[in-house]
Amino acid sequence: MAELKLSSETRDLTRVERIGAHSHIRGLGLDSALEPRAVSEGMVGQTSARKAAGVILQMIKDGKIAGRAVLIAGQPGTGKTAIAMGMAKSLGLETPFAMISGSEIFSLEMSKTEALMQALRKAIGVRIKEETEIIEGEVVEVQIDRPAVAGAASKTGKLTLKTTEMETVYDLGAKMIEALGKEKVQSGDVIAIDKASGKITKLGRSFARSRDYDAMGPQVKFVQCPDGELQKRKEVVHCVTLHEIDVINSR
């Protein structure tokens, strides 16, 4: 059974993707034989360093470098951070990447030891597995009734979900309507709703709707309409860092 990945519930714990000097990097730009391509995955130049990073990457995947650190040294602007980020991106989307500068440690209103400890805990990721009840199906229709007078009554609505075998209409409350609007859920999307928390995850668009539009962004993923029952038990994997767990515990 394919694992369903749902991110953490708390809003301000989502990692901020800033537009910065390295926001275009998607990997190390190596082929299957670990030979660096001239221009690939946002990387240009530094071929020998990228190849060496690729060897280290393979060692990490084989589990042969546990507990060790890699020092990348060089002049400013030679691509040290870019190579480090490329390694993190190559290991997978859940791999945390914590970037910190010396001036940042001095300017923070906390002790240097605490700042370094926080940075280290931000760089250590954990996968938390749990079994949960979810509702998974293709959205047939979303009907939201807005009151004529603002503030007179809360919004109400109906959500029609289907699988290959069944179709059900759910009544929606104000929180679910807000969550559907936040995720920009529309008919044709395949979604998963966590019954315990009400978290909505978009899994992709249904193959049946693949011809509805001419232009699609590269991030649009087409998936099959789920089969079987709408409600099912699945193993959910939450990917969080140790720092995020600290923040949740401190609350």
Side-chain angles (χ1 to χ4, degrees):
M1 188 188 289
E3 285 180 350
L4 176 71
K5 289 197 166 92
L6 302 178
S7 59
S8 257
E9 177 62 35
T10 318
R11 178 71 194 93
D12 56 345
L13 293 185
T14 52
R15 289 186 199 95
V16 180
E17 279 286 322
R18 291 182 302 160
I19 302 297
H22 306 99
S23 57
H24 61 288
I25 289 162
R26 301 183 309 281
L28 285 170
L30 306 172
D31 60 19
S32 55
L34 299 180
E35 287 299 326
R37 299 189 191 98
V39 181
S40 179
E41 295 179 332
M43 292 293 244
V44 182
Q46 288 287 21
T47 51
S48 55
R50 274 159 56 201
K51 186 172 182 176
V55 172
I56 293 160
L57 200 72
Q58 201 59 47
M59 287 168 74
I60 295 166
K61 286 177 180 174
D62 294 344
K64 293 177 181 174
I65 199 170
R68 292 166 184 262
V70 178
L71 176 68
I72 305 171
Q75 295 292 316
T78 49
K80 302 183 294 295
T81 312
I83 287 169
M85 186 178 269
M87 287 171 79
K89 290 280 174 80
S90 299
L91 284 167
L93 289 172
E94 311 95 48
T95 309
F97 183 77
M99 202 188 304
I100 190 162
S101 63
S103 57
E104 204 176 321
I105 295 170
F106 283 93
S107 62
L108 287 169
E109 289 177 4
M110 60 171 79
S111 70
K112 294 166 189 64
T113 311
E114 194 183 341
L116 283 168
M117 183 62 77
Q118 202 176 92
L120 281 167
R121 288 179 79 81
K122 276 181 186 174
I124 301 168
V126 288
R127 281 197 184 101
I128 302 166
K129 287 186 180 180
E130 61 174 340
E131 262 208 358
T132 184
E133 288 255 338
I134 64 157
I135 299 165
E136 188 181 80
E138 182 187 326
V139 179
V140 179
E141 192 182 14
V142 184
Q143 278 184 323
I144 296 166
D145 303 319
R146 290 174 177 83
V149 183
S154 60
K155 295 177 194 170
T156 56
K158 282 183 167 58
L159 172 71
T160 312
L161 282 180
K162 71 162 187 179
T163 64
T164 51
E165 293 172 23
M166 62 187 290
E167 188 171 308
T168 312
V169 180
Y170 294 96
D171 287 323
L172 299 172
K175 274 191 174 179
M176 284 299 285
I177 290 169
E178 195 183 322
L180 286 166
K182 212 177 262 182
E183 290 291 325
K184 296 186 175 69
V185 173
Q186 54 186 348
S187 60
D189 288 339
V190 177
I191 62 167
I193 304 168
D194 189 340
K195 279 188 78 178
S197 63
K199 175 96 171 69
I200 295 171
T201 310
K202 261 168 95 166
L203 305 176
R205 277 194 74 76
S206 171
F207 272 116
R209 303 292 185 108
S210 60
R211 298 179 189 277
D212 284 10
Y213 305 98
D214 291 333
M216 281 284 185
Q219 72 282 359
V220 176
K221 195 165 75 175
F222 287 105
V223 292
Q224 294 286 357
C225 178
D227 53 0
E229 296 277 318
L230 271 162
Q231 291 191 36
K232 52 189 84 167
R233 288 189 74 81
K234 270 206 174 175
E235 192 178 71
V236 181
V237 182
H238 298 276
C239 297
V240 289
T241 65
L242 292 182
H243 173 66
E244 287 172 355
I245 293 168
D246 293 342
V247 171
I248 292 163
N249 287 337
S250 68
R251 288 179 180 182

